[in-house]
Amino acid sequence: MKCLLLANESAEVLFYWTDTEFEQRVQEQYGVSQEEGERLPAFEDSINTLFAPIIISCSTMVDRLGDNYTSFSTENNHIYVLHQFEECLYIAVNGDGDETEEDLKRKIFVMKKLTEIMFGMVTFSGALLRKELRPQDTEQRNRLWKKLRSLLETYSRLRENDQSFLVEAVERLIHPTLCEQCIEFLERRLVQQINSNMDRMGEEVLHAFILVHTKLLAFYSSRNASNLYSSDLLALIILVQDLYPSKINLDETSELESSSVPEVFYTPEPSPPERESVRQRGDSPPVFQFVDPDVQMAEDSLQTLEAPTPDPSAPSRVFLESKECPMPHSMYCLPLWPGITLVLLTKVFFYYKTSKAKTICTVSMSYLFIYLFIYLKSTFTSQLQNAWTDFKNKAFSRSGSGFTRDLLPSCRNMKTQLCGVYRQFFAAECMGSSQRLAPHLQERALSMVQEKLMDWKDFLLVKSKRNITMEFPGLIHFIYVDRSNGQMIAPSLNVTDRTVSELGKGPLADFIKKKVWSLVATAQRYLQKGYATVTLRDGDYFYCYFLWFENETGYKLEVIDIPSSPDDGAPVGMLTCDYYRKLLRYYSKKHQNEVVKCYELFTVHLGVIPNEYILQHCSQLARKLWEPTRIPLL
C-alpha cells in the first residue's frame, strides 16, 4: 500500500500517485457512507479529503512555529513521511512494510528532482508550479500526471533492481577500446555533421551519449556546453527507460546470442514507445464478435480519454542543473535496437533571441533573482514593479519594518514575480515551440550509429549482463564508485532461474542481492552519522564499506571527520541532493591546490575468510579498478 502526494498550502492536490491497493482502500473508505445507487465521489476528491487535515495541520505549524513534523506512524502501522519544499508539501505513505522512512524520504527527494528536470526554476514558486501541475485543461493535466506517475514507477523499478540506481551512480560498460572509438565517432562525425547542417532548425547538439539498457557506453560534450552533472544524467536515464523500458530479461541472454542479425537495418522508421508487449498473430481476437453495446460504448469512451501517442520525432523538454541559469534543453531519444539507445541533448538558441535573456544565462544561480530584476526591470509588468517597490519600502525606508519576519510575504511575492519572468522567457515559450531537428537528420543519426555498432550490437547486449568478473577467492560481490565523476563498477546480479552468473542462479543469487541492498542501506545510514568505514558480520557473511579521498595521481589523502547530516536532511545519494558533491567541497577546503577525488567500495565476503585477507582484497581491488575509471567518458 503506497502513495505519494504533492499539495500546496491551500490543501489543493497538485499531483498524486497510488498503487492499486491504496486506491482500493480509499474507495472502500469513502464508499461506505454512500447511499444505494449513488456514485462514489471522484477519487481525486477522496484523496483531497483524506489528506486535507494533515496538510492544514502542517501549514498551521509552519506559520505559527516555523517548524513541522517530518514523519509519523498510525495505529495500523502506516508510515507517513513529509517534507516541505518552498510552498509545496510532499507526503509519502507506506502501509505494507516494504519501505522504511528513509525509503519514503528518498522517494520524495527524487520526485522533487524529476519536477525540476521537467519545469526548471518554476519549481521555486508554489503558485507557478501549481499552474504547471494543474493546468485548466483536464486532458492536459491527465496526460502530465500520467507521465509523472510513469516516471516515479520507472524510478522505483530501477531502484529495486539496478545497482546503479541503488548507489545512485552511472554504470558504464568496461571496454576501453570500443568506448574511446565511440566517443571519437560521436565527436568527429555525428555531432559535427548535425551541427553543420542547415536543417537543424536553430538547434545545436551539446551532449550525445549511447546507453545499453541503463549502462553508459560513450558520452561526448561539445566544447561550448556546460558540464552535465551525474545527477542529471541519472535523471535522464530514468526518462529514457520510461520511454523505452528494457524488456530483455536477464534470462534471455542465451536467446539473444543465438538470434539472427538482419542483413540491412540502417534507417528504420521511428516508432512510438510501446509500454505493452506486442500481440502475437496467433493471439488476435476473431473478426466477428457479439459485444454488449453498453460495454462497447464504455470502451470507446475510455479510448477517447487516453492520451494520444506522442510523436516519436518530438523532443522532450528538460531543464539541466548548471552553475549558470538552468536553461531548457531538447532531449531526443533515438532507439537503435531494443536495449540500445542514442540520446541527443540540444539547446534551442531561439530562446536567447533577446540580449537580456542572454545576460541571464551568464550569471550565477545565487544571484539570478537580482540579475533578473536589474536587467529586466524596464521590460515587464507592473506586478513586478509593484512587488519590488513594496519590498524596497519595507526593507530600506525609515518608516519600513526592516529585515524582519514581516518582510517574508514581500520576499515571497517578489520571488513569484521573478519566477514568472523566468517562466515567460524560458519555460512557457519553449513549451509551444515547434522547433526540432528535422526528421531526416534524426534518421541520419540513427543510421550512422547503427552502421558503427552493427557488428557490436549482440556483444554489447551480452556485455551489459556480464560487465566485469571477480578474481578474489571468498569475495562474493563488490560495488566500486568514483564519486568525483559519479560512475560505478560492479559485477552483474542475475537472479533468474535460467541464467547462471558469478553468484549462481535463482534463489541463491536473489539472496545475495538482498544482502547487497542491505549493505548499501546500512553503509549510507552510518555515513550520514559521520562514519567513513564500516565493517560488520552478518551470519556467514562479512560486510565492508570504505570511503576515502585521493589526489589526481592516486595518492591517498589523510582521513578527516565526515560531517554528520541532520535527521531531516536529504538522503545520501546524487539524485536526491548530491551529497557527495557537497562532501567534496567540504574536503577540498583543506586541499585548495589539489584536485581531490572521492571513492567508495562496498564488499561482501564469506565470513570464513580471515579479516586480514579481506582488508588485503579490498586494497588490491581498489588499486585494480582505479585505472579503468580514467576512461574519459564524462
Side-chain angles (χ1 to χ4, degrees), residues 242-256:
D242 184 65
L243 286 172
Y244 303 103
S246 297
K247 298 179 181 178
I248 301 179
N249 297 324
L250 295 174
D251 59 351
E252 293 178 353
T253 306
S254 59
E255 298 176 11
L256 175 66

Side-chain angles (χ1 to χ4, degrees), residues 371-483:
Y371 275 86
L372 271 170
F373 180 78
I374 292 176
Y375 286 99
L376 306 176
K377 177 180 177 181
S378 61
T379 307
F380 293 102
T381 62
S382 58
Q383 287 90 341
L384 178 59
Q385 297 284 354
N386 294 337
W388 170 248
T389 302
D390 178 64
F391 172 81
K392 187 169 56 175
N393 291 339
K394 291 182 178 179
F396 302 111
S397 65
R398 293 182 179 179
S399 59
S401 58
F403 290 94
T404 64
R405 187 179 179 85
D406 298 334
L407 194 60
L408 289 178
S410 297
C411 292
R412 180 179 297 182
N413 185 29
M414 190 173 67
K415 181 190 69 173
T416 300
Q417 297 299 328
L418 290 171
C419 284
V421 171
Y422 174 89
R423 180 175 183 267
Q424 179 179 345
F425 259 111
F426 308 126
E429 185 174 350
C430 73
M431 279 193 295
S433 174
S434 60
Q435 288 186 318
R436 68 180 67 171
L437 291 176
H440 74 86
L441 274 182
Q442 298 184 43
E443 294 173 5
R444 176 58 182 159
L446 270 175
S447 63
M448 290 174 64
V449 181
Q450 285 174 338
E451 183 178 359
K452 172 68 178 177
L453 296 178
M454 177 63 70
D455 295 336
W456 293 91
K457 180 191 72 168
D458 291 346
F459 168 80
L460 289 173
L461 292 172
V462 174
K463 180 68 172 175
S464 69
K465 309 302 180 187
R466 299 286 187 275
N467 201 18
I468 191 171
T469 57
M470 296 174 290
E471 301 176 0
F472 296 94
L475 175 62
I476 297 175
H477 194 71
F478 72 85
I479 302 177
Y480 176 82
V481 191
D482 183 346
R483 288 298 180 184

